[in-house]
Amino acid sequence: VGVQTSFSYGDLLTLNMEVFNQGNTGAKDIQLVDYLPCGMEYVNNPANTDNGWSYNAGTGEVRTVITNVVEPGASVTRTLVVK
């Protein structure tokens, strides 16, 4: 699959965030938090709501919780769509 190397203002961008469990026990209820940089906007669409994302417009914070168990050595990816 090709990777988009350029985009225009207003284009939808798909960000994939991968969380790895480097420990020796399963992990759950992992809070994944990021901040959208100036000029990026949160998009309220099924891709974001299906992944449990919430958005705080005042701070630019996006947040989701990985509730399933991530076993040692495993990873989980959450997708976030912005523009």
Side-chain angles (χ1 to χ4, degrees):
V1 175
V3 175
Q4 184 177 349
T5 57
S6 65
F7 57 91
S8 298
Y9 188 78
D11 286 352
L12 293 180
L13 303 173
T14 301
L15 308 175
N16 293 307
M17 300 180 197
E18 190 168 12
V19 176
F20 290 91
N21 182 352
Q22 296 177 329
N24 56 10
T25 60
K28 67 177 186 171
D29 298 328
I30 303 164
Q31 297 217 10
L32 181 57
V33 180
D34 203 355
Y35 294 87
L36 297 182
C38 184
M40 282 196 163
E41 296 177 32
Y42 178 81
V43 178
N44 191 14
N45 68 10
N48 289 340
T49 55
D50 289 351
N51 279 294
W53 288 104
S54 63
Y55 176 63
N56 181 322
T59 63
E61 178 186 278
V62 288
R63 173 184 295 264
T64 190
V65 178
I66 300 169
T67 57
N68 55 315
V69 176
V70 182
E71 296 296 339
S75 66
V76 174
T77 301
R78 287 293 182 263
T79 299
L80 175 66
V81 178
V82 297
K83 68 175 183 175

